[in-house]
């Protein structure tokens, strides 16, 4: 079969890497792709947000399946456009991708489905938001309703901080339309875990759990980023907890979407807080995580092209998908200054040596005059694999030591302090 992957980050490089190993794959395309996806796929110049160009390319290249990486394309209706052109797509239609693109909509869906989450209220103007804050306890969480590239959440310790978040979102409009509505939410306390399911609308298969490190510096200090690393599996999620998450969170959410007439096809990502009262949803995303995909996909034992097509056809129950033993740890190398201002265009050395030890997925790189250069905030995802997390982590860091570019920055404590592993 011929597959087209949409996106151009580390997640999409990992998806292309895994698809390229699929016995059922004939041709693999990626747009826009990056120098890493080009190792496994033909990068093509088709604007994935331009639905007419996309569907005409899919027809020309006999594409059997499109796999969508990023949420903005899904929110923009790429799955709807492909369905209208009779092209199979792994990724939800816009109406179902609202689970990520509107936090109030997702909270209302969870309330309807009885899925454990945070108590919440919605405000459509600053005065209502301030009025809610006046009668709230702190800490509290203020969220821009729409897509804000991972920056739309403030965990406010005081009324002043919460009011400032409302000011930034609703009055200064730092996230544009995404902040015209805010959700004010109970602050959940516990351990964060990312859960992933692959679903074809009715049936679902749980994927390995992961833990993500969003702050830029060691010890979870500094501003939030798209994430500086992650690991999988997560020791605290034992089979009983995994079953509870599937039964009380993933299953009822998918059933509620199907009941509403918008069955969900694709990867569903639940950001969870494991509280003293059990798992609760912090947020849903309508895609694989980045960089969680870089650790989850290497741990899957399956023909990803075949499994993805079966999911897109609503026949996932026929698919063979198993989780491999062992662990994977991803460390992101970033451009110094990220997530603030940074400069790019620096030559990258040492990837070949690193690849003797670990997987190296490209995120912000570019090929210029025959040499590989930095071209983004997050530059590479370096993924060590091993029989256990310690060995996986060691390989990731041994490999990252081989890679050099000017102003590079990475965290040194990814997977170093897994609380369950140390105190269990
Ligand atoms: P983002 O991925 O940018 O949406 O950031 C969400 C982060 O904010 C999560 O990873 C949590 O750490 C935090 N967060 C969001 N909602 C809550 C909540 N209700 N209680 C506690 N922390 C939250
Ligand atoms: N790693 C967080 C995300 O993909 O949203």
């Amino acid at each position: 079969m011929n597959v087209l992957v949409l996106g151009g980050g580390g997640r999409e490089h990992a998806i292309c890497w895994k698809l390229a190993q699929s016995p059922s794959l004939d041709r693999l395309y990626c747009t826009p792709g990056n120098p890493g996806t080009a190792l496994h796929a033909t990068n093509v110049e088709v604007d994935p947000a331009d639905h007419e160009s996309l569907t005409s390319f899919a027809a020309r290249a006999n594409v059997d399946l499109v796999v969508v990486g990023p949420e903005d394309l899904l929110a923009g209706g790429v799955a709807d456009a492909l369905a209208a052109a009779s092209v199979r797509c792994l990724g939800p239609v816009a109406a179902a991708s609202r689970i990520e693109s509107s936090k109030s909509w997702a909270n209302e869906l969870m309330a309807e489905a009885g899925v454990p989450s945070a108590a919440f209220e919605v405000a459509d103007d600053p005065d209502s938001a301030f009025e809610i804050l006046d009668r709230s306890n702190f800490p509290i969480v203020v969220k821009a309703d729409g897509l804000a590239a991972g920056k739309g959440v403030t965990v406010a310790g005081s009324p002043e901080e919460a009011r400032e978040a409302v000011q930034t979102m609703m009055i200064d409009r730092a996230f544009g339309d995404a902040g015209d509505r805010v959700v004010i939410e109970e602050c959940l306390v516990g351990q964060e875990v990312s859960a992933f399911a692959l679903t074809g609308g009715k049936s679902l298969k749980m994927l390995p759990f992961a833990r993500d490190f969003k702050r830029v510096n060691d010890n979870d200090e500094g501003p939030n980023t798209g994430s500086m690393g992650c690991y999988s599996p997560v020791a605290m999620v034992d089979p009983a907890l995994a079953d509870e998450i599937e039964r009380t969170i993933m299953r009822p959410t998918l059933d509620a979407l199907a009941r509403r007439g918008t069955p969900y096809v694709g990867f569903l990502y639940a950001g969870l807080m494991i509280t003293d009262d059990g798992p609760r949803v912090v947020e849903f995303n309508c895609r694989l995580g980045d960089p969680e995909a870089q650790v989850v996909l290497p741990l899957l034992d399956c023909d990803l092209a075949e499994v993805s097509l079966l999911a897109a056809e609503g026949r996932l129950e026929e698919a063979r998908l198993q989780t491999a033993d062992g662990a994977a740890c991803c460390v992101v190398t970033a451009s110094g200054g990220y997530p603030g201002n940074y400069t790019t265009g620096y030559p990258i050395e040492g990837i070949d040596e690193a690849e003797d030890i670990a997987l190296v997925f490209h995120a912000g790189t570019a090929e210029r005059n025959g040499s590989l250069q930095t071209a983004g905030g997050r530059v590479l995802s370096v993924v060590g694999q091993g029989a256990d997390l310690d060995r996986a982590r060691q390989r990731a860091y041994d490999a990252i030591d081989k890679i050099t570019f000017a102003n590079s920055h990475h965290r040194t404590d990814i997977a170093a302090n897994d609380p369950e592993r140390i105190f269990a």
Side-chain angles (χ1 to χ4, degrees):
M1 89 178 78
N2 300 327
V3 182
L4 168 64
V5 175
L6 306 186
R11 170 182 50 209
E12 288 76 21
H13 183 181
I15 292 172
C16 287
W17 167 82
K18 188 72 180 172
L19 285 169
Q21 297 164 32
S22 297
S24 62
L25 183 84
D26 294 313
R27 302 216 58 177
L28 183 59
Y29 302 96
C30 185
T31 184
N34 66 35
T37 65
L39 301 170
H40 313 286
T42 306
N43 286 345
V44 290
E45 280 187 35
V46 178
D47 177 0
D50 174 350
H51 297 161
E52 220 170 283
S53 310
L54 185 66
T55 51
S56 77
F57 173 79
R60 263 198 329 275
N62 291 317
V63 169
D64 299 290
L65 173 72
V66 175
V67 178
V68 187
E71 66 280 9
D72 52 349
L73 295 177
L74 293 162
V78 75
D80 308 65
L82 289 165
S86 302
V87 181
R88 298 281 184 215
C89 174
L90 188 69
V93 293
S97 75
R98 291 195 79 193
I99 201 155
E100 175 166 359
S101 63
S102 169
K103 292 183 193 297
S104 59
W105 189 89
N107 279 356
E108 277 150 22
L109 181 83
M110 286 188 274
E112 170 192 314
V115 168
S117 59
F120 71 100
E121 289 190 71
V122 176
D124 283 312
D125 58 77
D127 286 342
S128 321
F130 292 136
E131 185 272 321
I132 295 168
L133 294 177
D134 285 342
R135 54 183 165 75
S136 294
N137 296 321
F138 294 84
I140 204 160
V141 184
V142 182
K143 299 183 172 181
D145 188 59
L147 294 178
K151 299 193 182 95
V153 177
T154 300
V155 180
S158 65
E160 295 70 36
E161 250 183 285
R163 291 179 73 90
E164 198 179 306
V166 170
Q167 167 82 32
T168 306
M169 291 174 196
M170 300 195 97
I171 300 171
D172 304 341
R173 301 188 85 244
F175 310 116
D177 298 349
D180 285 347
R181 164 177 285 185
V182 299
V183 176
I184 298 175
E185 225 174 70
E186 169 195 9
C187 187
L188 300 172
V189 179
Q191 297 281 341
E192 279 195 74
V193 170
S194 307
F196 301 94
L198 174 62
T199 163
K202 284 200 198 84
S203 59
L204 75 92
K205 291 190 189 283
M206 294 297 292
L207 307 183
F209 291 82
R211 180 162 281 149
D212 180 30
F213 293 76
K214 287 202 172 77
R215 302 289 187 133
V216 72
N217 292 325
D218 285 3
N219 303 312
D220 289 331
E221 285 170 6
N224 263 324
T225 67
S227 172
M228 295 299 288
C230 60
Y231 64 86
S232 176
V234 181
M236 88 177 298
V237 187
D238 58 19
L241 181 55
D243 180 65
E244 185 181 353
I245 291 166
E246 178 174 351
R247 213 168 16 82
T248 66
I249 291 171
M250 296 304 205
R251 183 79 272 166
T253 301
L254 294 173
D255 289 347
L257 284 161
R259 267 201 310 277
R260 287 183 172 199
T262 49
Y264 187 102
V265 173
F267 294 104
L268 179 63
Y269 165 169
L272 305 176
M273 191 71 82
I274 311 300
T275 70
D276 288 344
D277 301 326
R280 293 168 75 177
V281 177
V282 164
E283 64 175 0
F284 274 116
N285 297 313
C286 63
R287 53 181 170 80
L288 277 176
D290 188 346
E292 289 96 325
Q294 289 89 306
V295 295
V296 167
L297 294 174
L299 290 172
L300 293 186
D301 178 7
C302 71
D303 176 330
L304 185 64
E306 183 184 69
V307 169
S308 301
L309 186 65
L310 285 169
E313 290 176 342
R315 296 161 55 207
L316 184 62
E317 57 285 355
E318 294 169 37
R320 204 195 60 84
L321 185 153
Q322 270 164 349
T323 299
D325 289 336
C329 173
C330 171
V331 183
V332 169
T333 57
S335 298
Y338 170 80
N341 295 333
Y342 56 82
T343 44
T344 60
Y346 300 114
I348 306 170
E349 311 282 350
I351 291 187
D352 287 349
E353 290 86 337
E355 281 180 329
D356 290 338
I357 307 168
L359 297 165
V360 179
F361 296 117
H362 293 233
T365 71
E367 196 102 34
R368 285 208 187 90
N369 311 321
S371 90
L372 193 70
Q373 300 186 352
T374 62
R378 291 191 289 174
V379 177
L380 298 165
S381 301
V382 180
V383 179
Q385 293 174 269
D388 57 39
L389 187 55
D390 286 328
R391 275 177 266 198
R393 168 173 203 277
Q394 190 61 50
R395 291 215 172 102
Y397 278 106
D398 286 348
I400 227 163
D401 281 346
K402 309 282 181 199
I403 297 173
T404 52
F405 58 85
N407 292 344
S408 75
H409 166 71
H410 65 261
R411 278 181 65 157
T412 66
D413 65 345
I414 304 298
N417 304 306
D418 179 332
E420 303 82 36
R421 196 160 46 103
I422 290 168
F423 301 115

